[in-house]
Amino acid sequence: MSTAKITGIAALDGGQRLAVKYFAVAIVLFGAQILFGLLAGFQYLSPDFLYGVVDFSVNRMVHINAMIVWMLFGFIGSIYWLIEDESGTEVVGLWLGNLAFWLFTIAVVIVVVVYLVIQTGPGQIESIWFINEGREYIEAPRWADVGIVVCLLIFFYNVAATFMKGRWSGIAGVLVLDLVAVAGMYLTGMFYSPNLSMDQFWWWWVIHLWVEATWEVLVGCIMAWGLIKTLGARRQIVTTWLYIEVALMLGSGILGLGHHYFWIGTPEYWLTVGGFFSALEPVPLVAMVVHAVYDSGVHRFKSPNHPALAWLIAHAFGNFFGAGVWGFMHTLPQVNIYTHGTQWSASHGHFAFFGAYATMNIAVFYIAAQRWRGNVNFGGGLVDNGWKWKWALGLLNGGVVGMTMALLVSGYDQVFIERALEGATWSGFFKAQQNVWYLQGMWWRQIFGYMTLAGFFLLVWDLMTIGVRETRPAVFPTEVAEHAA
Amino acid sequence: MGALGHEGLNIVGPMGPEGLDAFLRAVIAGALVVVFGAVYAACFAFGRLFSSLILMRVAYGCFGLLMVTVYVLATSLQLGGVWNVLMVLMLVAYFVAPRMIWRLTAATHE
Amino acid sequence: MSNVPWWASESFWRKTAIWVTAGMTLVLIALTFDTVKVITAGHSRVPAYEVINKRIYYRMNTKRKFQEPVIGEDAPLFGKMLSPEEAEAMVSHGKMTVQAKNCGSCHTLLGNGAYYAPDLTKAWLDPAWAGESVRETLMVQFLLDPTTNARGFGSTRRMPNLHLTEEEARAVVAFLKWTSAIDTTGFPRNFTPVAQEGDL
């Protein structure tokens, strides 16, 4: 469809103009995530580094909060990216979407500044409202929680109203229902209880049901649209498979929540429920291999966007290993009682979050970059042979996999020394922390962290330059298929 | 005692260092369960795609290895009662799921 | 497209997705009702707040095959018996302090949090505090000045001074005493508690 090469903002529709703002902030936060992760990681090796100035607790909080927010920004951006195309009409409340974007962004800046400067408050409810809530991943103070829900509701309104005005589709239906859950689940994390068990019970509703249910479905919707647009897959097939995926994912994932209810004071039937669904959770991932093989054999896909396709493949592998293999390795309660609360969880966390979500967002960044550059060819024969995206892909994936392996060594050392030999006491904890294997793991984690950072810089450089000097238009297989259907 | 039956939470035999070997066996087996499950699925799918008898045999070989790893997992963790039922169920699911997905894929792509 | 069998059709899977999601959600809601009842403070698995007036033992249950907290005789925290309301207020102040000081960004509680510092679930029962008779005093001292009173067991890792007031420090100790009485189904596995003076 690209007759003349139109680039930059002019090449985008309204939703996409908003989307690139979200992407820009997402990338900045991705950088912050890596930076603060490196600071926190370095403090394992040199505990006096920034001690009493920016303590581990602060660095770690910014590290994981930046991750949650950049992924959310990436998802919201991705959906604004596809919505006008998918609905066949303009975003209904674009100005409202812009307002929500600025509110959200300014709120994030204020929250991070308060994290870094004020850090902690007295043990009163005001601290939880204005400084930090002190609950992992959702440390954002309560005022920001309210803001996040308002922004998510605006986003929901925009998505639902746009589809209602324009064209409704299977993807749209799943997306709209899922967004109700995305906003709704967040509410379960917004109350205070002195009862730690009650606190963690509902906290997991936000963390698990967001991450392992609603986010997965969001990614499924984005992927479905991506398959139709970039590979020319037939809409009816993609929609059917989106439904199949939702059934399998939520069928095993909702009660998979049980594997977080083993040790927090909750009744013992959760061991069975959690163990059962954990054992079955990887089966859909494994079964999807069959579908991928079938597709690769039956269709001859030619993609004009190699980096996006490569990141989608990284997503498939990352999800399989990070969530599937690394998940099942320690979700049976008989194993988890040893590994829970050690670097084992950190190992799984790094691999699974990156594999399932970071990869997907990066793929969409490349889809966006292509249009921004005027729909030029991102396929074979790029001007510089595409070395930047290839190296960024290698360094980022290699870095994260390396960190995962290193943390696994440290985690195993903890199980061995702290849990099994030393009786899970404080002295046992510190004995494990000083063990040579544990420390080696931490050193390697740090080195692979720098590798990840290098990959990040290269990724940003590549996104800013890829296809600038390219003149060949991209040939999308999509138009043919879409109009035939 | 609920779902755990009379076995209690029987974790790698005796508590403490004696159980470590079994623990290590269990986590490696746990990881390999998913890996062999995927390799079986992939070989099965390629076998069907190319109508290759060799690949199908490799697939069933992988499933054999999967059965071995599940056995190692169950014995290392000294699983009893309902947990062994789960292991069998898991094997059935790993065996059947790729076949069902193949049929479903072929049917939806008609 | 007409030769797609019913079990592979779009509408069949749309309905299946809806029914599966709804079904699983209903099961989750049913289990949630039961669990919330059971984990309410004072019910079977999570202690009432006035447990801070009692001695807490940690003993092997041979039937369950793991250790569990056992509530013993009177042992008032800081020598003062509290009414249920006073006890709840104190534990709650401690919990609020734990959140406001962001303890979970270095420590784990019930195994959830960060892995830079030891798990706090059984802090009250940990042998780190020399003995039962001195631990509450030592814990308060530590919380008020963790830099000087560092307990790194040879590691150079130290807790930063988070400027707790004495009242907050005592409340945190109350919260941790209460936490140690939660039935965690044997987590952390193989925990060795402080020598329990006068225990069987």
Side-chain angles (χ1 to χ4, degrees):
Chain A
M1 291 279 152
S2 49
T3 40
K5 186 176 157 182
I6 308 164
T7 59
I9 287 280
L12 309 182
D13 65 36
Q16 291 172 342
R17 288 175 194 188
L18 179 53
V20 288
K21 292 182 194 164
Y22 274 104
F23 294 155
V25 177
I27 290 170
V28 171
L29 288 169
F30 184 22
Q33 182 204 356
I34 297 173
L35 174 71
F36 282 91
L38 284 171
L39 290 176
F42 192 71
Q43 283 170 324
Y44 269 100
L45 306 170
S46 176
D48 287 335
F49 176 66
L50 292 179
Y51 174 76
V53 184
V54 189
D55 286 306
F56 177 87
S57 55
V58 177
N59 288 323
R60 201 264 189 179
M61 171 167 63
V62 180
H63 172 60
I64 61 174
N65 280 217
M67 174 200 69
I68 295 283
V69 179
W70 93 254
M71 285 173 184
L72 262 181
F73 269 57
F75 296 148
I76 296 175
S78 301
I79 288 158
Y80 274 124
W81 183 268
L82 62 84
I83 194 167
E84 294 200 359
D85 176 85
E86 182 67 11
S87 67
T89 186
E90 288 176 5
V91 176
V92 169
L94 197 57
W95 68 273
L96 210 57
N98 268 298
L99 179 74
F101 165 77
W102 286 110
L103 280 178
F104 207 160
T105 305
I106 292 166
V108 168
V109 172
I110 295 172
V111 167
V112 171
V113 169
V114 170
Y115 280 174
L116 291 173
V117 177
I118 303 182
Q119 298 183 352
T120 60
Q124 292 156 4
I125 196 77
E126 291 77 15
S127 300
I128 284 163
W129 267 92
F130 299 108
I131 301 172
N132 86 61
E133 198 183 317
R135 294 162 83 207
E136 196 185 7
Y137 295 113
I138 48 171
E139 283 98 340
R142 193 58 48 77
W143 72 264
D145 288 345
V146 176
I148 288 172
V149 172
V150 169
C151 289
L152 286 175
L153 287 176
I154 291 176
F155 178 52
F156 168 75
Y157 163 78
N158 259 344
V159 173
T162 305
F163 279 119
M164 267 153 83
K165 187 178 155 220
R167 185 173 51 219
W168 203 255
S169 67
I171 296 176
V174 176
L175 194 55
V176 167
L177 284 178
D178 191 52
L179 286 179
V180 178
V182 170
M185 289 304 163
Y186 199 78
L187 296 174
T188 62
M190 281 175 61
F191 68 95
Y192 169 80
S193 167
N195 181 342
L196 183 64
S197 294
M198 197 68 83
D199 178 318
Q200 292 205 354
F201 180 84
W202 291 106
W203 175 77
W204 277 119
W205 271 58
V206 189
I207 308 305
H208 176 95
L209 291 180
W210 253 32
V211 169
E212 278 177 73
T214 60
W215 281 18
E216 289 268 13
V217 174
L218 273 187
V219 165
C221 292
I222 298 167
M223 181 82 126
W225 177 82
L227 288 175
I228 295 172
K229 287 294 141 184
T230 61
L231 294 179
R234 215 161 67 209
R235 178 173 286 276
Q236 196 200 8
I237 298 175
V238 170
T239 311
T240 307
W241 278 92
L242 179 62
Y243 295 140
I244 295 172
E245 213 186 312
V246 169
L248 291 176
M249 237 155 36
L250 298 186
S252 61
I254 290 178
L255 287 176
L257 178 60
H259 62 233
H260 301 296
Y261 292 161
F262 293 161
W263 326 117
I264 64 165
T266 31
E268 275 153 55
Y269 53 71
W270 286 109
L271 296 174
T272 321
V273 174
F276 183 84
F277 284 92
S278 297
L280 297 182
E281 268 189 46
V283 177
L285 287 173
V286 164
M288 285 306 152
V289 172
V290 175
H291 191 196
V293 170
Y294 184 98
D295 273 350
S296 69
V298 172
H299 306 279
R300 279 276 157 257
F301 289 130
K302 272 186 88 126
S303 170
N305 192 333
H306 283 185
L309 188 64
W311 277 101
L312 286 180
I313 293 168
H315 166 79
F317 276 93
N319 209 15
F320 171 74
F321 281 101
V325 178
W326 254 248
F328 186 61
M329 212 195 264
H330 70 150
T331 39
L332 283 180
Q334 291 86 346
V335 173
N336 193 258
I337 198 167
Y338 280 115
T339 59
H340 179 55
T342 66
Q343 298 293 350
W344 210 289
S345 311
S347 172
H348 169 54
H350 280 77
F351 207 172
F353 269 113
F354 180 82
Y357 301 121
T359 49
M360 188 68 202
N361 275 328
I362 296 171
V364 179
F365 297 163
Y366 273 106
I367 292 175
Q370 185 167 36
R371 178 159 282 246
W372 183 271
R373 296 278 137 68
N375 267 341
V376 290
N377 171 53
F378 276 14
L382 277 169
V383 177
D384 54 4
N385 204 20
W387 72 271
K388 286 195 293 266
W389 76 259
K390 288 173 189 164
W391 273 89
L393 178 83
L395 287 170
L396 278 165
N397 282 289
V400 173
V401 171
M403 287 194 286
T404 301
M405 295 298 175
L407 287 167
L408 192 67
V409 170
S410 295
Y412 181 70
D413 192 76
Q414 259 184 298
V415 168
F416 188 89
I417 293 172
E418 175 190 330
R419 296 280 165 86
L421 294 179
E422 294 289 324
T425 59
W426 284 28
S427 72
F429 173 85
F430 282 107
K431 205 170 245 178
Q433 302 289 313
Q434 295 168 81
N435 183 271
V436 60
W437 282 92
Y438 184 92
L439 287 169
Q440 294 244 334
M442 284 297 157
W443 271 107
W444 281 106
R445 189 269 292 268
Q446 195 69 10
I447 291 165
F448 282 112
Y450 295 131
M451 187 166 155
T452 311
L453 183 69
F456 169 76
F457 282 131
L458 210 50
L459 174 74
V460 174
W461 185 21
D462 189 50
L463 283 168
M464 290 194 304
T465 53
I466 186 171
V468 166
R469 284 182 288 154
E470 182 65 57
T471 49
R472 293 168 295 162
V475 182
F476 291 93
T478 107
E479 280 95 21
V480 197
E482 184 74 347
H483 292 292
Chain B
M1 200 51 32
L4 285 166
H6 294 297
E7 295 83 22
L9 190 67
N10 210 348
I11 294 165
V12 289
M15 291 199 297
E18 305 85 353
L20 270 169
D21 280 351
F23 172 84
L24 187 59
R25 271 205 306 279
V27 291
I28 293 174
L32 287 178
V33 164
V34 185
V35 171
F36 283 134
V39 179
Y40 158 69
C43 291
F44 172 83
F46 277 117
R48 278 280 163 94
L49 195 63
F50 304 130
S51 313
S52 156
L53 201 63
I54 298 169
L55 274 170
M56 287 309 248
R57 282 190 186 142
V58 175
Y60 291 122
C62 280
F63 193 79
L65 290 172
L66 175 61
M67 283 160 69
V68 173
T69 51
V70 170
Y71 177 79
V72 171
L73 181 70
T75 49
S76 304
L77 296 176
Q78 300 185 7
L79 297 181
V82 70
W83 293 98
N84 282 328
V85 177
L86 174 62
M87 290 299 122
V88 173
L89 217 86
M90 212 169 78
L91 272 178
V92 173
Y94 274 103
F95 185 77
V96 174
R99 313 175 88 83
M100 282 173 29
I101 295 289
W102 179 266
R103 286 191 67 182
L104 198 54
T105 313
T108 50
H109 286 250
E110 274 304 310
Chain C
M1 270 167 229
S2 51
N3 46 6
V4 172
W6 63 270
W7 48 266
S9 69
E10 190 181 325
S11 72
F12 170 76
W13 281 102
R14 182 172 57 235
K15 286 176 204 142
T16 306
I18 292 169
W19 282 107
V20 165
T21 308
M24 289 300 168
T25 307
L26 281 178
V27 175
L28 176 62
I29 289 170
L31 290 174
T32 296
F33 270 106
D34 183 71
T35 300
V36 164
K37 192 180 76 206
V38 174
I39 63 172
T40 300
H43 205 280
S44 48
R45 300 182 59 99
V46 177
Y49 298 108
E50 57 264 37
V51 78
I52 60 171
N53 289 323
K54 303 285 183 185
R55 190 157 170 200
I56 295 155
Y57 294 96
Y58 202 55
R59 290 193 184 129
M60 189 68 185
N61 180 330
T62 46
K63 216 174 141 202
R64 296 174 83 189
K65 293 190 179 166
F66 51 78
Q67 297 151 290
E68 61 187 12
V70 177
I71 312 304
E73 69 278 13
D74 283 354
L77 186 63
F78 304 113
K80 188 165 178 274
M81 287 296 274
L82 300 177
S83 70
E85 296 75 31
E86 287 171 323
E88 174 164 1
M90 193 174 185
V91 171
S92 182
H93 189 203
K95 167 77 164 20
M96 194 74 87
T97 306
V98 163
Q99 282 185 237
K101 300 294 179 189
N102 203 13
C103 302
S105 211
C106 283
H107 295 274
T108 45
L109 271 156
L110 301 175
N112 293 312
Y115 318 112
Y116 192 67
D119 186 61
L120 296 179
T121 314
K122 303 291 173 197
W124 174 256
L125 299 168
D126 201 278
W129 308 107
E132 281 188 300
S133 50
V134 288
R135 73 180 145 193
E136 53 198 50
T137 321
L138 285 176
M139 285 172 97
V140 171
Q141 269 176 17
F142 174 76
L143 285 167
L144 291 176
D145 186 3
T147 312
T148 316
N149 299 314
R151 279 165 189 277
F153 297 91
S155 148
T156 54
R157 226 179 276 172
R158 290 169 299 165
M159 179 169 149
N161 192 335
L162 297 169
H163 308 289
L164 276 79
T165 64
E166 178 152 6
E167 204 197 337
E168 284 171 346
R170 284 164 165 255
V172 169
V173 175
F175 171 68
L176 292 176
K177 183 173 181 183
W178 173 82
T179 306
S180 74
I182 297 174
D183 185 340
T184 54
T185 320
F187 176 83
R189 185 69 170 165
N190 200 26
F191 178 71
T192 317
V194 63
Q196 303 186 34
E197 295 154 27
D199 194 7
L200 308 170

